[in-house]
Amino acid sequence: MNDIDAGWEQRSVALWASIDAHEEEEFFALVDELVADLPADSGLALFERAAARDSFGHSDLAVPLYEQALKAGLPGERRRRAVVQMSSSLRNMGFAERGVELLTAERALGADHLSDAVAATLALCLADSGREREAVSVAVAALAPHLPRYQRSMANYARLLIEPDDEN
C-alpha cells in the first residue's frame, strides 16, 4: 500500500489498541490527526475515519465514508474489512439486504483469514432480511471446519438447510 509506511502502521495499531481509553470525540480527533499524514483522497484515510465512527455506533456516519474509501481504492485486507464493516452498519441501519448483496459478492472473491467474519456478518444480514434458514446454513457451514469432530456432518446439515435432500 503506497499510502503508509511501517511507522504509520505502528501508530495506527497502537491507537486502535487504546480505543477503550478514549472518549468518542477524543478518539475521532486522534484518528483524524493520524490520517492527516495521508493524502486527502486516500482510501485508507477514509476507511480509518469510517471505522472510528463505526466503533462508536455511528453507522450513519460510517457508511458514506466506507463507500468513499472503497471508491477511492482500498486494497488488500482493509478493502475486505471495509465491506464487512459497511455491511454490518447497513444492517444496523435497516438495510440488511444491501449487506447480503455486498457480502455475497465478497464471498465469491475467495477465502482468507477474514472469511469467517464475512460469513458471520452475512448470517446476521440474512436473518434480518427474513432469510433465517440461509442464515443458519451460513453460520453452521462457517463453524463446521473449526469443530474437533462432526465437520462433515455439520457441513452436510448446513447444505440441507437450503437445498432439498434428493434421497428422500
Side-chain angles (χ1 to χ4, degrees):
M1 187 177 284
N2 295 338
D3 286 349
I4 60 172
D5 60 26
W8 187 93
E9 190 67 54
Q10 289 173 343
R11 292 192 326 269
S12 175
V13 168
L15 177 58
W16 281 100
S18 74
I19 189 171
D20 292 330
H22 302 286
E23 295 295 322
E24 177 179 311
E25 292 302 323
E26 176 190 11
F27 191 75
F28 293 170
L30 290 169
V31 168
D32 290 345
E33 180 181 316
L34 175 71
V35 302
D37 293 344
L38 304 174
D41 62 349
S42 164
L44 177 57
L46 292 161
F47 169 77
E48 293 293 323
R49 292 180 65 233
R53 275 87 185 148
D54 209 3
S55 293
F56 282 93
H58 296 288
S59 297
D60 59 323
L61 301 176
V63 168
L65 291 169
Y66 286 134
E67 289 172 336
Q68 291 171 36
L70 289 166
K71 187 174 181 176
L74 194 57
E77 180 176 316
R78 281 192 174 97
R79 189 205 57 76
R80 191 155 201 180
R81 286 174 50 202
V83 172
V84 170
Q85 292 168 206
M86 182 170 70
S87 296
S88 178
S89 290
L90 286 164
R91 175 184 160 266
N92 290 337
M93 294 169 56
F95 301 106
E97 194 58 47
R98 177 70 179 126
V100 170
E101 293 169 13
L102 292 168
L103 293 164
T104 300
E106 191 63 30
R107 287 180 87 188
L109 296 177
D112 65 9
H113 68 284
L114 293 174
S115 293
D116 290 341
V118 172
T121 308
L122 175 58
L124 291 168
C125 287
L126 285 164
D128 280 10
S129 297
R131 298 162 61 183
E132 292 86 357
R133 288 185 70 83
E134 289 176 73
V136 173
S137 176
V138 168
V140 171
L143 177 62
H146 303 286
L147 299 173
R149 297 187 56 91
Y150 315 113
Q151 296 95 344
R152 190 170 152 273
S153 296
M154 289 299 153
N156 191 45
Y157 294 149
R159 180 186 56 79
L160 290 174
L161 280 168
I162 56 175
E163 294 177 9
D165 186 358
D166 294 333
E167 294 179 13
N168 292 332

